[in-house]
Amino acid sequence: MMAWFKREKKRIEQPTPPDERRVKTEGLWTKCAHCSAIVWNKDLEANWRVCPKCQYHFRLNAIQRLELLLDSRWIEHDAGLTSSNPLQFTDTKPYAARLKDARRKLNMSDAIISAEGLLGGRPVLCCSMEFNFIGGSMGAVVGEKVTRTIEAAIAKHIPLIIVSCSGGARMMEGTISLMQLAKVSAALARLDEDRVPYISVLTDPTTGGVTASYAMLGDINIAEPGALIGFAGPRVIEQTIRQKLPKGFQTAEFLMEHGFLDAVVHRKDLKTYISSALDFFVA
Ligand SMILES: [Zn+2]
């Protein structure tokens, strides 16, 4: 029988092998995680990585954040501070290898940049957290850098801004990472006694030990729209309190409504907002 349904002729020759046939658009477009709009990367960058269609705030890295907030150049402090890996911790991968990878990939020593520069012409100290560095987790280095920045703010009597973006304490440093909560909080109490203003900016996500310490201890605590902010994850809380959690719980807007935040500020207004808040604090 004639196999009429079979292709008898030779296939048309493909000019390019199938795995190379896809159009290379990677790096040109980004699909919005919220509204699924396809946004041209240049438009996204020009808009400080906020979706022009739905205003979804994409995550900024530590350097982009400093570029957003500070006037021009800044001086970086304690750039060389590195973790001593006190527990020689290993999970699916040795902690030392994780650190090495993150350092190589991001060209930074740990998950935070401590910068000194100008904001609206006013000298400020600004810590900016890097989520891509082991989930922006807070270990001894992050704790120490934040503490030193607070101490510098006290010594120089200039305002402090900390932009949080963190999964919480760094598990690979165990108790030592938890001790940072107390150390940083004590330093902030000294800052408060010396009446130096501290503005905390909570971005997506701010969770765990960072929420439980410096992120919620600002003279004013402000967040970006839609940011996930919390301590433990919703499942853990539901299991603990044996209650269903309300919708939208742990978003910046929900926390604002319930009195945990002072403001939810769109990224395009963030610098102006901080600047006028500092005008208010520093007469
Ligand atoms: Zn969108």
Side-chain angles (χ1 to χ4, degrees):
M1 208 171 83
M2 198 179 80
W4 55 270
F5 49 84
K6 266 193 188 155
R7 193 189 286 271
E8 303 240 282
K9 279 186 192 156
K10 249 184 111 188
R11 278 172 170 272
I12 298 166
E13 263 190 45
Q14 296 293 345
T16 42
D19 51 332
E20 286 174 30
R21 226 181 296 152
R22 215 175 304 138
V23 184
K24 285 179 180 146
T25 53
E26 199 189 325
L28 282 179
W29 304 90
T30 299
K31 188 175 178 182
C32 174
H34 184 251
C35 74
S36 300
I38 309 290
V39 189
W40 196 30
N41 276 352
K42 277 199 175 162
D43 287 345
L44 199 59
E45 298 304 327
N47 208 25
W48 288 110
R49 298 190 60 74
V50 175
C51 173
K53 302 254 160 58
C54 74
Q55 308 302 310
Y56 171 77
H57 285 48
F58 284 86
R59 195 170 295 149
L60 291 182
N61 66 33
I63 289 174
Q64 289 167 329
R65 183 61 68 177
L66 292 172
E67 286 168 349
L68 171 77
L69 295 180
L70 300 181
D71 292 353
S72 51
R73 284 160 174 255
W74 62 83
I75 309 163
E76 187 177 350
H77 294 299
D78 304 310
L81 226 56
T82 54
S83 170
S84 60
N85 188 7
L87 305 179
Q88 298 292 314
F89 194 86
T90 299
D91 46 275
T92 53
K93 194 169 153 184
Y95 176 42
R98 277 186 202 281
L99 283 171
K100 206 174 145 197
D101 284 356
R103 278 181 200 137
R104 202 191 48 226
K105 216 164 58 193
L106 300 163
N107 195 26
M108 54 196 291
S109 69
D110 214 292
I112 197 163
I113 299 176
S114 166
E116 182 172 354
L118 298 174
L119 189 155
R122 180 198 303 281
V124 291
L125 285 154
C126 182
C127 289
S128 177
M129 297 193 77
E130 176 56 66
F131 193 78
N132 295 314
F133 197 108
I134 319 184
S137 51
M138 173 180 58
V141 173
V142 169
E144 181 62 18
K145 281 173 98 163
V146 171
T147 306
R148 287 187 190 188
T149 312
I150 298 166
E151 283 166 352
I154 295 171
K156 298 178 178 183
H157 215 80
I158 57 177
L160 169 73
I161 298 150
I162 302 178
V163 183
S164 296
C165 187
S166 172
R170 188 169 297 170
M171 295 193 293
M172 301 84 162
E173 292 188 16
T175 303
I176 291 154
S177 70
L178 293 180
M179 284 161 63
Q180 307 309 313
L181 278 76
K183 183 168 89 178
V184 172
S185 303
L188 282 174
R190 293 198 296 276
L191 184 80
D192 187 54
E193 277 166 23
D194 282 23
R195 308 183 71 79
V196 179
Y198 162 40
I199 294 176
S200 172
V201 182
L202 296 88
T203 70
D204 184 66
T206 297
T207 59
V210 169
T211 309
S213 60
Y214 55 85
M216 282 295 185
L217 290 174
D219 290 307
I220 51 173
N221 304 319
I222 57 185
E224 285 195 327
L228 169 80
I229 299 162
F231 180 64
R235 196 163 40 91
V236 174
I237 302 171
E238 281 183 351
Q239 281 168 7
T240 309
I241 65 172
R242 293 170 194 283
Q243 268 184 49
K244 199 100 188 92
L245 291 164
K247 207 170 168 274
F249 161 83
Q250 290 189 326
T251 60
E253 291 74 10
F254 187 93
L255 293 186
M256 172 74 198
E257 213 174 288
H258 291 80
F260 285 90
L261 292 171
D262 297 296
V264 176
V265 183
H266 192 288
R267 192 172 288 162
K268 69 172 162 46
D269 304 320
L270 198 57
K271 184 174 177 175
T272 323
Y273 186 96
I274 294 174
S275 186
S276 43
L278 292 177
D279 284 341
F280 172 76
F281 281 119
V282 190

